[in-house]
Amino acid sequence: MNRLGYTVTLLFSIIAHAQGKVYQGIEELPTTERFDFIVAGGGTAGSVIASRLSETRRFNVLLIEAGPDNSGVLELIVPGLGDRRDRTKYDWNYVSTSQPGLNGRTLGVPRGHVLGGSSSINGMVYTRGSADDFDNWGRVTGDPGWSWKALWPYILRHEKWVQPPGGRDPSGQFDPKVHGYKGKVSVSLPWNGPTDHDNRTAKNADLQKDFPVILDQNAGKPIGVTWKQSTIGNGERSSAATAYLGSDVRERPNLTILLNTYITRVLPLSGSSRIDIRSIEIAPRQGAKEIILSGGVIGTPQILLNSGIGNKTELEALGITPLLNLPDVGQGMTEHVAANVVWSVVPPSPPTIDAATALAMWHENRTGPLTERFTHQLLWSRIRDDSPIFEEYKDPSTGPTSPHIEMPLDSAQNGFVCLLTPHSRGSVKLRSKNPFDDPLIDLGLLSHPFDIAAIKEGIRIAKKFYTSPAWDGFITGFKGPDPDQLSDEDFEKTVRDNAITFLHPVGTATMSSKTSKRGVVDPELRVKGARGLRVVDASVFPYVLTAHTQAAVYILAERAADLIRGSW
């Protein structure tokens, strides 16, 4: 706590500077300026909110990020170098609690500790999810504004569809009618292809009607084999920071960006008869119109709980004075869990482009294998409606356009079958009353029996996919885990011993209808029971979508910006 007192003291001892700057630490921040909006967290959503609000020149906006700047960091620019980033600097390096569902294992929980947040370090996969996913958002929140059709303008607003690196012709691999071309975030297809595996999936679609090749996974009905789209433009990562906080935005006189500054709590105004949140502890300011909390699925509940907003009994047990009793803060986390599956394959040919040549290609003209990550294609599939699994468990999917299973393709020798619709739930709780202690992150993986049963069905789907003659000369056998060969006990142990996540946790400050006693925020993302405080990030998702989550965060943040501007 001495560290906190030091930084707050510094804040009030500095002479004011001109606005419209990026400050590297709190010692540089002016003290005389008043801010209309304080955006607490410069991640994916926070970058969008700060950029959009500062488009209105009468709004004075402060964006605070705990990590450093993203600018000029090669590992955050080159898509294929992302795994080489300095994890001590650009990653929060969280570790989960011991997971009973994984036979006691812990897992790393990477989260971006840098401007742009996790969009600066993620795998860049761009999938929106199904129309049913968003339509159900509208139902659970009581706000049809969160439905697929209503959100369509925001889907197009944030996206800037561009040609693949190198400019190859991608015709037939996407639907131009379902993309935006004037937005901020660059989205493209892989730089090369089709590969041998890509061509085999097309042949397989002719032979197995259960696995059609779909023109575009982002049209709202993704089930089938689709070409993977990524947030990459001109061979470079397109993050929330590069897309929304470029040099032109940073020069706005009404936008201040403060880096390397840790946010501990949001604070109520003194003397107010209602809970009125207008300040944050690291940079107290009276009179802000709103605080927009964008700390992410881990950081947001941690800040709320440290502020006394959460389960009253649990807060008191830690010695934290409760401010607002919202028991769902930190509860209900959902995450995509994946089982490792392995086939034996004909040994692939060695790469024709070595690492040094690949880097030279990127530097020379932004082409080559370093302009992409992972696979070219993805398989999305539903468990059959007449499966016995649904006689025992309720189907957690949001509707017939929502897949239960995802499998990245072309890595059969070491693949993953991912469950997109888990019943299991996790949580984020405080370790202690010290705001600098990492929180307790319980992913809750495989804690519900449906999830193991669904993974079993997912592996059967994957097995079937690779059984047609289209794979002759490539697939030579299935190594497992095979649910049709192993005992239930052996199958389950193998899955639990090797399962991972796809790094898509959401839902620790969920939105719900205005009349519901559950949830943390209302459909306009205002914290229930308080004034002046909204949450805008993946923590408000009611559940994890059947997609990689970054696209949905951009969509959420774009609508949130309009909701906030419309209030003032």
Side-chain angles (χ1 to χ4, degrees), residues 145-283:
W146 290 114
S147 66
W148 175 261
K149 185 176 180 179
L151 288 171
W152 190 250
Y154 299 107
I155 291 173
L156 299 184
R157 178 193 289 182
H158 80 271
E159 184 188 17
K160 181 181 180 181
W161 182 267
V162 296
Q163 288 291 97
R168 72 174 179 85
D169 182 6
S171 298
Q173 297 171 4
F174 78 109
D175 184 351
K177 298 190 299 295
V178 300
H179 292 279
Y181 297 87
K182 298 180 181 180
K184 301 289 186 179
V185 182
S186 295
V187 179
S188 64
L189 289 163
W191 79 284
N192 74 339
T195 64
D196 175 64
H197 192 286
D198 301 335
N199 290 327
R200 288 174 183 270
T201 60
K203 182 178 180 181
N204 187 63
D206 292 334
L207 298 173
Q208 297 199 78
K209 301 306 181 183
D210 289 341
F211 305 109
V213 174
I214 300 300
L215 182 59
D216 201 304
Q217 63 194 0
N218 285 318
K221 298 178 180 180
I223 296 173
V225 175
T226 67
W227 279 83
K228 187 196 69 173
Q229 301 168 16
S230 300
T231 48
I232 296 172
N234 190 35
E236 298 182 1
R237 175 189 293 271
S238 182
S239 69
T242 63
Y244 284 89
L245 298 174
S247 58
D248 57 331
V249 176
R250 295 180 184 215
E251 292 171 0
R252 291 175 183 167
N254 61 329
L255 174 63
T256 297
I257 300 174
L258 175 61
L259 302 171
N260 303 301
T261 301
Y262 191 89
I263 300 162
T264 55
R265 293 190 296 168
V266 295
L267 301 173
L269 291 178
S270 59
S272 175
S273 59
R274 296 178 58 184
I275 297 172
D276 202 344
I277 308 292
R278 309 286 170 165
S279 304
I280 55 176
E281 188 163 47
I282 201 66

Side-chain angles (χ1 to χ4, degrees), residues 47 57 93 109 152 214 367 371 457 480 529:
S47 298
R57 292 308 171 94
N93 283 311
V109 186
W152 190 250
I214 300 300
T367 62
T371 64
E457 294 305 307

Side-chain angles (χ1 to χ4, degrees), residues 478-499:
F478 182 57
K479 292 185 175 181
D482 192 336
D484 301 312
Q485 297 295 324
L486 296 174
S487 67
D488 289 343
E489 293 76 13
D490 287 344
F491 173 82
E492 185 171 329
K493 182 179 187 307
T494 302
V495 169
R496 294 186 186 278
D497 283 345
N498 296 282

Side-chain angles (χ1 to χ4, degrees), residues 15-232:
I15 299 173
H17 294 66
Q19 288 229 282
K21 290 186 177 180
V22 178
Y23 296 106
Q24 298 302 317
I26 197 169
E27 67 278 2
E28 300 177 7
L29 183 69
T31 61
T32 59
E33 294 289 341
R34 297 174 68 87
F35 296 103
D36 296 297
F37 298 98
I38 300 174
V39 183
T44 308
S47 298
V48 177
I49 294 296
S51 179
R52 291 304 191 190
L53 291 182
S54 61
E55 290 176 346
T56 302
R57 292 308 171 94
R58 63 186 174 88
F59 291 159
N60 208 11
V61 180
L62 172 64
L63 174 63
I64 304 176
E65 165 56 35
D69 202 345
N70 65 296
S71 298
V73 183
L74 192 66
E75 293 80 8
L76 305 184
I77 299 172
V78 183
L81 295 183
D83 287 340
R84 301 184 191 178
R85 68 181 182 274
D86 184 347
R87 282 175 164 76
T88 63
K89 187 175 184 179
Y90 301 115
D91 198 320
W92 283 97
N93 283 311
Y94 293 127
V95 177
S96 76
T97 60
S98 175
Q99 297 290 287
L102 303 186
N103 291 334
R105 290 189 295 132
T106 62
L107 292 181
V109 186
R111 297 283 95 188
H113 180 261
V114 60
L115 197 63
S118 292
S119 72
S120 291
I121 69 168
N122 66 10
M124 297 165 289
V125 179
Y126 181 82
T127 57
R128 297 169 184 161
S130 72
D132 284 331
D133 282 340
F134 290 97
D135 288 345
N136 199 51
W137 274 19
R139 286 191 289 271
V140 300
T141 62
D143 180 0
W146 290 114
S147 66
W148 175 261
K149 185 176 180 179
L151 288 171
W152 190 250
Y154 299 107
I155 291 173
L156 299 184
R157 178 193 289 182
H158 80 271
E159 184 188 17
K160 181 181 180 181
W161 182 267
V162 296
Q163 288 291 97
R168 72 174 179 85
D169 182 6
S171 298
Q173 297 171 4
F174 78 109
D175 184 351
K177 298 190 299 295
V178 300
H179 292 279
Y181 297 87
K182 298 180 181 180
K184 301 289 186 179
V185 182
S186 295
V187 179
S188 64
L189 289 163
W191 79 284
N192 74 339
T195 64
D196 175 64
H197 192 286
D198 301 335
N199 290 327
R200 288 174 183 270
T201 60
K203 182 178 180 181
N204 187 63
D206 292 334
L207 298 173
Q208 297 199 78
K209 301 306 181 183
D210 289 341
F211 305 109
V213 174
I214 300 300
L215 182 59
D216 201 304
Q217 63 194 0
N218 285 318
K221 298 178 180 180
I223 296 173
V225 175
T226 67
W227 279 83
K228 187 196 69 173
Q229 301 168 16
S230 300
T231 48
I232 296 172

Side-chain angles (χ1 to χ4, degrees), residues 252-331:
R252 291 175 183 167
N254 61 329
L255 174 63
T256 297
I257 300 174
L258 175 61
L259 302 171
N260 303 301
T261 301
Y262 191 89
I263 300 162
T264 55
R265 293 190 296 168
V266 295
L267 301 173
L269 291 178
S270 59
S272 175
S273 59
R274 296 178 58 184
I275 297 172
D276 202 344
I277 308 292
R278 309 286 170 165
S279 304
I280 55 176
E281 188 163 47
I282 201 66
R285 298 275 173 171
Q286 296 289 333
K289 287 180 169 63
E290 291 191 19
I291 304 295
I292 298 97
L293 184 53
S294 298
V297 69
I298 308 299
T300 283
Q302 183 182 19
I303 293 169
L304 289 174
L305 292 168
N306 276 315
S307 305
I309 301 173
N311 184 297
K312 178 178 181 290
T313 302
E314 294 181 1
L315 292 171
E316 288 176 335
L318 290 172
I320 297 173
T321 302
L323 175 65
L324 177 59
N325 185 33
L326 284 178
D328 284 344
V329 171
Q331 300 299 308

